Amino acid sequence: MNGRAKAAGRPLRHDLIRAAALEAYAAVRGDGRAAAAALEHVLRREAKRLYSSERRAVAEALWGLLKRERMLDMLMFGASHPGAGSGLGRFGDSASEEFSSLKRPRGMELYSLRLSALAVLEGLPPDEVAQRDALAPAQRELLRGAARALPRAEFELLSPVLQVALEGSLGDDVAALLVEEMGAEGALDFARAIGERAPLTLRANELKTTREALSKALAGEGLESTPTRCAPQGLTLSSRVNAFSLRAFQEGLFELQDEGSQLIALLVGARPGERIADACAGAGGKTLALAAQMRGKGELFAFDIDERRLGELQKRARRAGAHNIRIEPLDETAPPRALRGRDGSERLFDRLLIDAPCSGLGAIRRVPDTRYRLSARELERFAEQQRALLSRFASMVKPGGRLVYATCSVASLENEQVVARFLAAHGDYRMLPAEKLLPASCEGLVRGGALRTTPHEHGTDGFYCAALERRA
C-alpha cells in the first residue's frame, strides 16, 4: 500500500485507508469472519468517506496481509533454527517453533505492525513508514527486518516445508501435504502462485451472444480481452475493472467464471433435451454454463442445501435468460423431489454434476483467508463428506448416464482418493478418459484420466474433475 500514490489528482488519505484495512483484518484474524464479508461491511459503512481509489487500496492492503502474513512475521521476528520446519506447528498469532522466542505484540498492536511491514516489503523506506505510522522505537527495529527481505541463500537453508509455508502463508501440515504430493519445487511454485492476483476471466453466455461478439461489446466499453487457451467461451480481461458495473454484464452477456471451472462444465457435456442435475449448485456458476450448453431445451435442476445461494442463482438465471433451470432446496437426508414424476414413477438423470464442498485449496488466491482455516484434519473431514455425496447421488444417474465429480482442491485426499474408493465400492461405474471429452487445446491438463489444473502450471484455479459413467 503506497501512501504516496495519487488517483484523479487527489492524494490517498493514508490514515483512513489504514484504519479501514486494520478493522477488516482484525475481523478476519481476530473474530474469524470471512474476508469478503468483513471487507464489504467496512467499505459499505465507509462508502461516503472513501474515494473509489481508497476503497481499492483498503482491499489491496487486506489481501496483502492475508497472503503474506507468515513471511512478514518471519522477517520481523526471525528464525531460531533455519533448518527446522517439518513439524506440524500452528501459525498466526502464536509463534510456531520455527520463530524465535522474542515476545511478540498481540492483537491490534501486531496487526498494525504487520500492515506497516507490508508497506516496507512493497518498497517504502522503513524509517518513512515508522514515522508515518507513529511506531515506537522497538517496533521500528522490527520493521527494518521487512526491508531486507529474506536472502535467497538463507531461504534455501530452510526445510522445503517451511519454504512453502512461508511463501504461501500456510500451516505446516498443509505445506507438508503439498510437498509430499507436488515435490518441493512444485509445491514452492504453487505457494508463490497463490500469492498472485487471479486473472479476471469471463464466460460468454451462449444463450445471448458468442465469444467474438462479447469481445467486441467489451471493446465498446473500453476493455481489451483475450480468448482463453482451452475454454471455448472464455475471455480474460487485460485490466482490472468492476465487471458487475459493465453494460455487457447487466445485459446478461457473460458470467465471471475461472477457465478451469468452465472446463468442468464441458466434462458434463450437457445436451439439449436432456435431464441434468447440478447437485451442489450454490450460486450457480456451473449451472448457468450447463444451461447454455442445453440451449434452453430440456430440464436442468439446481439442488443445494443453502436456500440463500439458490436465491442468488435465481437472479442470475433471469439475467442470463436461462429459463429451463428448476431450483430445488435440498434436504440433507431426503431424496430430491425431482426424482419422482407426477405419476410417482422414478425419473433418473442423464448427467449429474457433484461440485463437492471442499477445502478450497485450489482457489485460495481468490479467497485468501481460506489458508487460515485449513489443516490436514479439515481435508480429511471434507473427504468423508465427499465420499458420502458420491454414494448418495450415484443411484440417481441413468444406466449409460454420466456422474461428474469436481472439487476446487489440489489435494489427492479430496480428489483421486475419493474417486478410487467410490469406484471400488460401485462396480456399475467406470471412469471416462477426460482427454476424449475436452477440446484438443486442453492437452496437458489431464492426469490419470481426470482434469487437473493448478495456478502455477496453467494460470487457472486449482481444479480436479472426473467423469464417471454408469454402465448400461
Side-chain angles (χ1 to χ4, degrees):
M1 181 178 61
N2 190 335
R4 297 175 298 185
K6 296 185 178 182
R10 297 180 297 198
L12 300 184
R13 294 168 293 179
H14 171 75
D15 55 336
L16 297 181
I17 295 170
R18 183 176 177 82
L22 282 174
E23 181 183 348
Y25 181 58
V28 177
R29 297 298 286 120
D31 302 333
R33 292 191 65 184
L39 180 64
E40 182 183 8
H41 172 76
V42 171
L43 293 185
R44 186 188 298 121
R45 193 194 64 222
E46 300 294 332
K48 294 183 178 179
R49 295 182 66 198
L50 296 173
Y51 309 141
S52 60
S53 56
E54 291 172 337
R55 292 195 292 273
R56 285 195 297 271
V58 171
E60 289 172 3
L62 175 61
W63 293 162
L65 283 167
L66 292 172
K67 290 178 177 180
R68 306 173 90 168
E69 177 182 302
R70 192 164 184 186
M71 180 63 81
L72 291 171
D73 284 2
M74 178 71 162
L75 294 174
M76 287 191 292
F77 302 108
S80 55
H81 45 302
S86 59
L88 304 182
R90 291 179 60 82
F91 63 100
D93 291 349
S94 300
S96 63
E97 65 178 2
E98 296 85 14
F99 291 124
S100 70
S101 58
L102 283 173
K103 183 178 180 181
R104 297 196 296 169
R106 304 182 72 81
M108 286 303 296
E109 184 183 357
L110 176 60
Y111 302 156
S112 177
L113 186 58
R114 283 174 178 160
L115 186 55
S116 297
L118 179 64
V120 172
L121 194 62
E122 292 176 347
L124 287 183
D127 291 338
E128 178 183 327
V129 173
Q131 183 175 1
R132 182 194 69 183
D133 297 343
L135 299 186
Q139 294 174 322
R140 293 180 182 224
E141 287 301 317
L142 290 171
L143 204 59
R144 291 192 177 96
R148 70 182 182 91
L150 193 62
R152 175 175 293 276
E154 186 176 334
F155 183 80
E156 290 176 350
L157 289 175
L158 303 176
S159 71
V161 169
L162 184 52
Q163 289 181 31
V164 171
L166 289 173
E167 284 287 358
S169 206
L170 297 164
D172 290 351
D173 52 352
V174 175
L177 180 147
L178 291 171
V179 170
E180 181 180 350
E181 294 202 358
M182 298 180 175
E185 187 175 345
L188 191 55
D189 288 342
F190 173 85
R192 287 171 175 152
I194 63 174
E196 300 297 323
R197 176 176 284 182
L200 190 56
T201 307
L202 321 176
R203 176 186 55 79
N205 177 16
E206 294 177 277
L207 294 173
K208 292 190 172 186
T209 189
T210 64
R211 177 161 72 174
E212 293 72 22
L214 174 61
S215 182
K216 291 178 181 178
L218 293 171
E221 297 193 59
L223 295 172
E224 293 183 8
S225 60
T226 55
T228 49
R229 181 172 71 92
C230 300
Q233 298 303 323
L235 287 172
T236 300
L237 294 183
S238 303
S239 57
R240 308 303 298 186
V241 66
N242 178 7
F244 303 121
S245 68
L246 297 175
R247 185 173 62 254
F249 176 78
Q250 294 162 3
E251 293 175 356
L253 301 185
F254 72 83
E255 291 290 332
L256 291 173
Q257 190 174 21
D258 183 81
E259 183 177 11
S261 179
Q262 295 182 43
L263 296 178
I264 289 172
L266 288 184
L267 278 175
V268 177
R271 294 181 295 198
E274 289 186 324
R275 182 175 166 83
I276 312 288
D278 187 349
C280 305
K286 297 179 184 67
T287 311
L288 293 172
L290 297 177
Q293 290 177 17
M294 297 174 73
R295 306 292 184 185
K297 299 176 182 179
E299 296 178 297
L300 175 56
F301 294 89
F303 304 137
D304 205 277
I305 60 174
D306 189 338
E307 293 190 43
R308 179 188 59 81
R309 298 192 74 198
L310 288 177
E312 179 63 25
L313 167 56
Q314 204 160 31
K315 297 175 187 175
R316 296 174 71 183
R318 282 197 297 268
R319 185 179 59 247
H323 303 304
N324 67 325
I325 297 176
R326 302 187 181 186
I327 293 173
E328 182 182 330
L330 198 61
D331 186 290
E332 292 194 57
T333 54
R337 294 190 303 272
L339 279 176
R340 294 293 172 187
R342 292 182 180 179
D343 59 357
S345 62
E346 187 177 54
R347 301 185 65 201
L348 303 180
F349 300 104
D350 295 290
R351 299 164 198 268
L352 189 147
L353 169 63
I354 300 177
D355 183 18
C358 68
S359 64
L361 183 57
I364 203 170
R365 58 184 181 172
R366 296 187 191 274
V367 192
D369 50 311
T370 298
R371 66 196 76 203
Y372 301 107
R373 296 188 291 272
L374 283 182
S375 66
R377 181 175 296 179
E378 274 293 288
L379 266 64
E380 179 55 48
R381 185 180 67 82
F382 277 116
E384 291 177 7
Q385 187 178 3
Q386 291 150 0
R387 292 192 292 268
L389 278 169
L390 270 173
S391 294
R392 178 185 180 187
F393 286 102
S395 61
M396 301 181 193
V397 178
K398 292 179 180 179
R402 187 179 300 177
L403 175 62
V404 176
Y405 173 76
T407 74
C408 54
S409 175
V410 296
S412 64
L413 182 65
E414 300 180 88
N415 298 328
E416 288 90 348
Q417 293 181 40
V418 169
V419 170
R421 288 183 61 167
F422 172 79
L423 291 175
H426 295 78
D428 54 338
Y429 273 93
R430 68 185 182 96
M431 182 183 285
L432 297 173
E435 61 269 22
K436 295 185 178 180
L437 306 175
L438 293 169
S441 57
C442 295
E443 184 180 0
L445 275 63
V446 176
R447 261 186 284 167
L451 174 71
R452 259 290 205 160
T453 66
T454 61
H456 63 290
E457 293 173 302
H458 312 113
T460 69
D461 289 345
F463 285 103
Y464 173 86
C465 187
L468 312 172
E469 182 181 67
R470 191 174 189 185
R471 300 178 192 275

mmCIF file with all atom_site columns, all heavy atoms in Angstrom, residues 66 83 117 139 179 186 194 214 275 336 339 345 347 378 380 414 425 468 470:
data_model
loop_
_atom_site.group_PDB
_atom_site.id
_atom_site.type_symbol
_atom_site.label_atom_id
_atom_site.label_alt_id
_atom_site.label_comp_id
_atom_site.label_asym_id
_atom_site.label_entity_id
_atom_site.label_seq_id
_atom_site.pdbx_PDB_ins_code
_atom_site.Cartn_x
_atom_site.Cartn_y
_atom_site.Cartn_z
_atom_site.occupancy
_atom_site.B_iso_or_equiv
_atom_site.pdbx_formal_charge
_atom_site.auth_seq_id
_atom_site.auth_comp_id
_atom_site.auth_asym_id
_atom_site.auth_atom_id
_atom_site.pdbx_PDB_model_num
ATOM 1   N N   . LEU A 1 66  ? -3.208  -10.908 4.265   1.00 0.00 ? 66  LEU A N   1
ATOM 2   C CA  . LEU A 1 66  ? -3.615  -12.299 4.362   1.00 0.00 ? 66  LEU A CA  1
ATOM 3   C C   . LEU A 1 66  ? -2.683  -13.220 3.577   1.00 0.00 ? 66  LEU A C   1
ATOM 4   O O   . LEU A 1 66  ? -2.402  -14.340 3.999   1.00 0.00 ? 66  LEU A O   1
ATOM 5   C CB  . LEU A 1 66  ? -5.053  -12.455 3.856   1.00 0.00 ? 66  LEU A CB  1
ATOM 6   C CG  . LEU A 1 66  ? -6.131  -11.789 4.725   1.00 0.00 ? 66  LEU A CG  1
ATOM 7   C CD1 . LEU A 1 66  ? -7.482  -11.843 4.040   1.00 0.00 ? 66  LEU A CD1 1
ATOM 8   C CD2 . LEU A 1 66  ? -6.199  -12.445 6.100   1.00 0.00 ? 66  LEU A CD2 1
ATOM 9   N N   . GLY A 1 83  ? 16.957  -24.634 9.707   1.00 0.00 ? 83  GLY A N   1
ATOM 10  C CA  . GLY A 1 83  ? 16.691  -25.951 9.131   1.00 0.00 ? 83  GLY A CA  1
ATOM 11  C C   . GLY A 1 83  ? 15.409  -26.569 9.615   1.00 0.00 ? 83  GLY A C   1
ATOM 12  O O   . GLY A 1 83  ? 15.017  -27.624 9.161   1.00 0.00 ? 83  GLY A O   1
ATOM 13  N N   . ALA A 1 117 ? 4.758   -3.296  8.116   1.00 0.00 ? 117 ALA A N   1
ATOM 14  C CA  . ALA A 1 117 ? 5.782   -4.137  7.496   1.00 0.00 ? 117 ALA A CA  1
ATOM 15  C C   . ALA A 1 117 ? 5.427   -4.460  6.045   1.00 0.00 ? 117 ALA A C   1
ATOM 16  O O   . ALA A 1 117 ? 6.311   -4.579  5.197   1.00 0.00 ? 117 ALA A O   1
ATOM 17  C CB  . ALA A 1 117 ? 5.950   -5.426  8.294   1.00 0.00 ? 117 ALA A CB  1
ATOM 18  N N   . GLN A 1 139 ? 9.441   -1.096  17.825  1.00 0.00 ? 139 GLN A N   1
ATOM 19  C CA  . GLN A 1 139 ? 8.738   -1.526  16.627  1.00 0.00 ? 139 GLN A CA  1
ATOM 20  C C   . GLN A 1 139 ? 9.510   -1.143  15.363  1.00 0.00 ? 139 GLN A C   1
ATOM 21  O O   . GLN A 1 139 ? 9.502   -1.868  14.374  1.00 0.00 ? 139 GLN A O   1
ATOM 22  C CB  . GLN A 1 139 ? 7.340   -0.912  16.595  1.00 0.00 ? 139 GLN A CB  1
ATOM 23  C CG  . GLN A 1 139 ? 6.416   -1.419  17.701  1.00 0.00 ? 139 GLN A CG  1
ATOM 24  C CD  . GLN A 1 139 ? 5.098   -0.685  17.710  1.00 0.00 ? 139 GLN A CD  1
ATOM 25  O OE1 . GLN A 1 139 ? 5.037   0.517   17.475  1.00 0.00 ? 139 GLN A OE1 1
ATOM 26  N NE2 . GLN A 1 139 ? 4.027   -1.405  18.001  1.00 0.00 ? 139 GLN A NE2 1
ATOM 27  N N   . VAL A 1 179 ? 4.110   -30.560 -0.362  1.00 0.00 ? 179 VAL A N   1
ATOM 28  C CA  . VAL A 1 179 ? 5.447   -31.045 -0.712  1.00 0.00 ? 179 VAL A CA  1
ATOM 29  C C   . VAL A 1 179 ? 5.400   -32.526 -1.031  1.00 0.00 ? 179 VAL A C   1
ATOM 30  O O   . VAL A 1 179 ? 6.032   -32.999 -1.990  1.00 0.00 ? 179 VAL A O   1
ATOM 31  C CB  . VAL A 1 179 ? 6.443   -30.759 0.431   1.00 0.00 ? 179 VAL A CB  1
ATOM 32  C CG1 . VAL A 1 179 ? 7.772   -31.465 0.181   1.00 0.00 ? 179 VAL A CG1 1
ATOM 33  C CG2 . VAL A 1 179 ? 6.672   -29.251 0.570   1.00 0.00 ? 179 VAL A CG2 1
ATOM 34  N N   . GLY A 1 186 ? 7.602   -28.115 -7.062  1.00 0.00 ? 186 GLY A N   1
ATOM 35  C CA  . GLY A 1 186 ? 6.230   -27.858 -7.480  1.00 0.00 ? 186 GLY A CA  1
ATOM 36  C C   . GLY A 1 186 ? 5.418   -27.188 -6.388  1.00 0.00 ? 186 GLY A C   1
ATOM 37  O O   . GLY A 1 186 ? 4.629   -26.273 -6.651  1.00 0.00 ? 186 GLY A O   1
ATOM 38  N N   . ILE A 1 194 ? -0.212  -18.755 -5.451  1.00 0.00 ? 194 ILE A N   1
ATOM 39  C CA  . ILE A 1 194 ? -1.415  -18.376 -4.713  1.00 0.00 ? 194 ILE A CA  1
ATOM 40  C C   . ILE A 1 194 ? -1.266  -17.020 -4.034  1.00 0.00 ? 194 ILE A C   1
ATOM 41  O O   . ILE A 1 194 ? -2.236  -16.496 -3.477  1.00 0.00 ? 194 ILE A O   1
ATOM 42  C CB  . ILE A 1 194 ? -1.818  -19.450 -3.674  1.00 0.00 ? 194 ILE A CB  1
ATOM 43  C CG1 . ILE A 1 194 ? -0.732  -19.627 -2.608  1.00 0.00 ? 194 ILE A CG1 1
ATOM 44  C CG2 . ILE A 1 194 ? -2.139  -20.768 -4.358  1.00 0.00 ? 194 ILE A CG2 1
ATOM 45  C CD1 . ILE A 1 194 ? -1.134  -20.572 -1.485  1.00 0.00 ? 194 ILE A CD1 1
ATOM 46  N N   . LEU A 1 214 ? -18.984 -10.876 -27.795 1.00 0.00 ? 214 LEU A N   1
ATOM 47  C CA  . LEU A 1 214 ? -18.751 -10.324 -26.455 1.00 0.00 ? 214 LEU A CA  1
ATOM 48  C C   . LEU A 1 214 ? -17.472 -9.517  -26.428 1.00 0.00 ? 214 LEU A C   1
ATOM 49  O O   . LEU A 1 214 ? -17.416 -8.430  -25.824 1.00 0.00 ? 214 LEU A O   1
ATOM 50  C CB  . LEU A 1 214 ? -18.686 -11.457 -25.423 1.00 0.00 ? 214 LEU A CB  1
ATOM 51  C CG  . LEU A 1 214 ? -18.309 -11.030 -24.005 1.00 0.00 ? 214 LEU A CG  1
ATOM 52  C CD1 . LEU A 1 214 ? -19.323 -10.044 -23.429 1.00 0.00 ? 214 LEU A CD1 1
ATOM 53  C CD2 . LEU A 1 214 ? -18.185 -12.248 -23.086 1.00 0.00 ? 214 LEU A CD2 1
ATOM 54  N N   . ARG A 1 275 ? -32.011 -34.459 -19.324 1.00 0.00 ? 275 ARG A N   1
ATOM 55  C CA  . ARG A 1 275 ? -32.440 -34.205 -17.936 1.00 0.00 ? 275 ARG A CA  1
ATOM 56  C C   . ARG A 1 275 ? -31.165 -34.177 -17.097 1.00 0.00 ? 275 ARG A C   1
ATOM 57  O O   . ARG A 1 275 ? -30.513 -35.201 -16.886 1.00 0.00 ? 275 ARG A O   1
ATOM 58  C CB  . ARG A 1 275 ? -33.384 -35.321 -17.498 1.00 0.00 ? 275 ARG A CB  1
ATOM 59  C CG  . ARG A 1 275 ? -33.948 -35.187 -16.097 1.00 0.00 ? 275 ARG A CG  1
ATOM 60  C CD  . ARG A 1 275 ? -34.957 -36.319 -15.877 1.00 0.00 ? 275 ARG A CD  1
ATOM 61  N NE  . ARG A 1 275 ? -35.298 -36.473 -14.473 1.00 0.00 ? 275 ARG A NE  1
ATOM 62  C CZ  . ARG A 1 275 ? -36.220 -35.747 -13.847 1.00 0.00 ? 275 ARG A CZ  1
ATOM 63  N NH1 . ARG A 1 275 ? -36.871 -34.805 -14.513 1.00 0.00 ? 275 ARG A NH1 1
ATOM 64  N NH2 . ARG A 1 275 ? -36.474 -35.947 -12.572 1.00 0.00 ? 275 ARG A NH2 1
ATOM 65  N N   . PRO A 1 336 ? -34.211 -35.850 -3.681  1.00 0.00 ? 336 PRO A N   1
ATOM 66  C CA  . PRO A 1 336 ? -34.829 -34.695 -4.343  1.00 0.00 ? 336 PRO A CA  1
ATOM 67  C C   . PRO A 1 336 ? -36.221 -35.041 -4.864  1.00 0.00 ? 336 PRO A C   1
ATOM 68  O O   . PRO A 1 336 ? -36.467 -36.156 -5.329  1.00 0.00 ? 336 PRO A O   1
ATOM 69  C CB  . PRO A 1 336 ? -33.868 -34.385 -5.494  1.00 0.00 ? 336 PRO A CB  1
ATOM 70  C CG  . PRO A 1 336 ? -32.587 -35.069 -5.147  1.00 0.00 ? 336 PRO A CG  1
ATOM 71  C CD  . PRO A 1 336 ? -32.960 -36.262 -4.332  1.00 0.00 ? 336 PRO A CD  1
ATOM 72  N N   . LEU A 1 339 ? -36.808 -36.481 -8.478  1.00 0.00 ? 339 LEU A N   1
ATOM 73  C CA  . LEU A 1 339 ? -36.644 -37.885 -8.855  1.00 0.00 ? 339 LEU A CA  1
ATOM 74  C C   . LEU A 1 339 ? -37.976 -38.563 -9.143  1.00 0.00 ? 339 LEU A C   1
ATOM 75  O O   . LEU A 1 339 ? -38.009 -39.652 -9.717  1.00 0.00 ? 339 LEU A O   1
ATOM 76  C CB  . LEU A 1 339 ? -35.929 -38.649 -7.736  1.00 0.00 ? 339 LEU A CB  1
ATOM 77  C CG  . LEU A 1 339 ? -34.413 -38.518 -7.672  1.00 0.00 ? 339 LEU A CG  1
ATOM 78  C CD1 . LEU A 1 339 ? -33.868 -39.251 -6.461  1.00 0.00 ? 339 LEU A CD1 1
ATOM 79  C CD2 . LEU A 1 339 ? -33.764 -39.041 -8.942  1.00 0.00 ? 339 LEU A CD2 1
ATOM 80  N N   . SER A 1 345 ? -43.615 -42.280 -10.735 1.00 0.00 ? 345 SER A N   1
ATOM 81  C CA  . SER A 1 345 ? -42.526 -43.102 -11.258 1.00 0.00 ? 345 SER A CA  1
ATOM 82  C C   . SER A 1 345 ? -41.180 -42.433 -11.027 1.00 0.00 ? 345 SER A C   1
ATOM 83  O O   . SER A 1 345 ? -41.087 -41.206 -10.911 1.00 0.00 ? 345 SER A O   1
ATOM 84  C CB  . SER A 1 345 ? -42.728 -43.333 -12.757 1.00 0.00 ? 345 SER A CB  1
ATOM 85  O OG  . SER A 1 345 ? -42.697 -42.087 -13.449 1.00 0.00 ? 345 SER A OG  1
ATOM 86  N N   . ARG A 1 347 ? -37.633 -40.975 -11.981 1.00 0.00 ? 347 ARG A N   1
ATOM 87  C CA  . ARG A 1 347 ? -37.066 -40.315 -13.159 1.00 0.00 ? 347 ARG A CA  1
ATOM 88  C C   . ARG A 1 347 ? -35.613 -39.969 -12.857 1.00 0.00 ? 347 ARG A C   1
ATOM 89  O O   . ARG A 1 347 ? -35.321 -39.057 -12.085 1.00 0.00 ? 347 ARG A O   1
ATOM 90  C CB  . ARG A 1 347 ? -37.865 -39.059 -13.510 1.00 0.00 ? 347 ARG A CB  1
ATOM 91  C CG  . ARG A 1 347 ? -39.333 -39.321 -13.797 1.00 0.00 ? 347 ARG A CG  1
ATOM 92  C CD  . ARG A 1 347 ? -40.010 -38.051 -14.259 1.00 0.00 ? 347 ARG A CD  1
ATOM 93  N NE  . ARG A 1 347 ? -39.461 -37.624 -15.534 1.00 0.00 ? 347 ARG A NE  1
ATOM 94  C CZ  . ARG A 1 347 ? -39.553 -36.358 -15.991 1.00 0.00 ? 347 ARG A CZ  1
ATOM 95  N NH1 . ARG A 1 347 ? -40.112 -35.430 -15.250 1.00 0.00 ? 347 ARG A NH1 1
ATOM 96  N NH2 . ARG A 1 347 ? -39.055 -36.046 -17.163 1.00 0.00 ? 347 ARG A NH2 1
ATOM 97  N N   . GLU A 1 378 ? -8.950  -30.929 8.540   1.00 0.00 ? 378 GLU A N   1
ATOM 98  C CA  . GLU A 1 378 ? -10.067 -30.369 7.773   1.00 0.00 ? 378 GLU A CA  1
ATOM 99  C C   . GLU A 1 378 ? -10.201 -31.064 6.424   1.00 0.00 ? 378 GLU A C   1
ATOM 100 O O   . GLU A 1 378 ? -11.304 -31.341 5.962   1.00 0.00 ? 378 GLU A O   1
ATOM 101 C CB  . GLU A 1 378 ? -9.860  -28.866 7.566   1.00 0.00 ? 378 GLU A CB  1
ATOM 102 C CG  . GLU A 1 378 ? -10.366 -27.986 8.694   1.00 0.00 ? 378 GLU A CG  1
ATOM 103 C CD  . GLU A 1 378 ? -11.880 -28.034 8.801   1.00 0.00 ? 378 GLU A CD  1
ATOM 104 O OE1 . GLU A 1 378 ? -12.574 -27.467 7.944   1.00 0.00 ? 378 GLU A OE1 1
ATOM 105 O OE2 . GLU A 1 378 ? -12.367 -28.673 9.751   1.00 0.00 ? 378 GLU A OE2 1
ATOM 106 N N   . GLU A 1 380 ? -9.413  -34.096 5.667   1.00 0.00 ? 380 GLU A N   1
ATOM 107 C CA  . GLU A 1 380 ? -9.984  -35.423 5.882   1.00 0.00 ? 380 GLU A CA  1
ATOM 108 C C   . GLU A 1 380 ? -11.490 -35.332 6.132   1.00 0.00 ? 380 GLU A C   1
ATOM 109 O O   . GLU A 1 380 ? -12.267 -36.168 5.650   1.00 0.00 ? 380 GLU A O   1
ATOM 110 C CB  . GLU A 1 380 ? -9.299  -36.104 7.070   1.00 0.00 ? 380 GLU A CB  1
ATOM 111 C CG  . GLU A 1 380 ? -9.844  -37.482 7.398   1.00 0.00 ? 380 GLU A CG  1
ATOM 112 C CD  . GLU A 1 380 ? -9.817  -38.441 6.215   1.00 0.00 ? 380 GLU A CD  1
ATOM 113 O OE1 . GLU A 1 380 ? -8.763  -38.538 5.544   1.00 0.00 ? 380 GLU A OE1 1
ATOM 114 O OE2 . GLU A 1 380 ? -10.854 -39.077 5.949   1.00 0.00 ? 380 GLU A OE2 1
ATOM 115 N N   . GLU A 1 414 ? -8.791  -35.337 -1.425  1.00 0.00 ? 414 GLU A N   1
ATOM 116 C CA  . GLU A 1 414 ? -10.148 -34.937 -1.786  1.00 0.00 ? 414 GLU A CA  1
ATOM 117 C C   . GLU A 1 414 ? -10.502 -35.313 -3.223  1.00 0.00 ? 414 GLU A C   1
ATOM 118 O O   . GLU A 1 414 ? -11.657 -35.156 -3.622  1.00 0.00 ? 414 GLU A O   1
ATOM 119 C CB  . GLU A 1 414 ? -10.311 -33.426 -1.637  1.00 0.00 ? 414 GLU A CB  1
ATOM 120 C CG  . GLU A 1 414 ? -10.072 -32.890 -0.230  1.00 0.00 ? 414 GLU A CG  1
ATOM 121 C CD  . GLU A 1 414 ? -10.245 -31.388 -0.174  1.00 0.00 ? 414 GLU A CD  1
ATOM 122 O OE1 . GLU A 1 414 ? -11.384 -30.941 0.032   1.00 0.00 ? 414 GLU A OE1 1
ATOM 123 O OE2 . GLU A 1 414 ? -9.241  -30.667 -0.342  1.00 0.00 ? 414 GLU A OE2 1
ATOM 124 N N   . ALA A 1 425 ? -16.159 -49.341 -4.649  1.00 0.00 ? 425 ALA A N   1
ATOM 125 C CA  . ALA A 1 425 ? -17.404 -49.736 -3.988  1.00 0.00 ? 425 ALA A CA  1
ATOM 126 C C   . ALA A 1 425 ? -18.597 -49.776 -4.933  1.00 0.00 ? 425 ALA A C   1
ATOM 127 O O   . ALA A 1 425 ? -19.661 -50.273 -4.570  1.00 0.00 ? 425 ALA A O   1
ATOM 128 C CB  . ALA A 1 425 ? -17.702 -48.770 -2.840  1.00 0.00 ? 425 ALA A CB  1
ATOM 129 N N   . LEU A 1 468 ? -17.515 -39.948 -14.649 1.00 0.00 ? 468 LEU A N   1
ATOM 130 C CA  . LEU A 1 468 ? -17.769 -41.353 -14.370 1.00 0.00 ? 468 LEU A CA  1
ATOM 131 C C   . LEU A 1 468 ? -19.046 -41.775 -15.086 1.00 0.00 ? 468 LEU A C   1
ATOM 132 O O   . LEU A 1 468 ? -20.066 -41.082 -15.028 1.00 0.00 ? 468 LEU A O   1
ATOM 133 C CB  . LEU A 1 468 ? -17.919 -41.581 -12.861 1.00 0.00 ? 468 LEU A CB  1
ATOM 134 C CG  . LEU A 1 468 ? -16.833 -40.952 -11.986 1.00 0.00 ? 468 LEU A CG  1
ATOM 135 C CD1 . LEU A 1 468 ? -17.188 -41.074 -10.508 1.00 0.00 ? 468 LEU A CD1 1
ATOM 136 C CD2 . LEU A 1 468 ? -15.476 -41.582 -12.264 1.00 0.00 ? 468 LEU A CD2 1
ATOM 137 N N   . ARG A 1 470 ? -22.105 -44.539 -15.643 1.00 0.00 ? 470 ARG A N   1
ATOM 138 C CA  . ARG A 1 470 ? -22.796 -45.696 -15.079 1.00 0.00 ? 470 ARG A CA  1
ATOM 139 C C   . ARG A 1 470 ? -23.038 -46.701 -16.191 1.00 0.00 ? 470 ARG A C   1
ATOM 140 O O   . ARG A 1 470 ? -23.617 -46.384 -17.243 1.00 0.00 ? 470 ARG A O   1
ATOM 141 C CB  . ARG A 1 470 ? -24.138 -45.261 -14.461 1.00 0.00 ? 470 ARG A CB  1
ATOM 142 C CG  . ARG A 1 470 ? -24.772 -46.362 -13.624 1.00 0.00 ? 470 ARG A CG  1
ATOM 143 C CD  . ARG A 1 470 ? -26.004 -45.897 -12.893 1.00 0.00 ? 470 ARG A CD  1
ATOM 144 N NE  . ARG A 1 470 ? -26.455 -46.917 -11.957 1.00 0.00 ? 470 ARG A NE  1
ATOM 145 C CZ  . ARG A 1 470 ? -27.573 -46.839 -11.239 1.00 0.00 ? 470 ARG A CZ  1
ATOM 146 N NH1 . ARG A 1 470 ? -28.359 -45.779 -11.369 1.00 0.00 ? 470 ARG A NH1 1
ATOM 147 N NH2 . ARG A 1 470 ? -27.898 -47.797 -10.411 1.00 0.00 ? 470 ARG A NH2 1
#
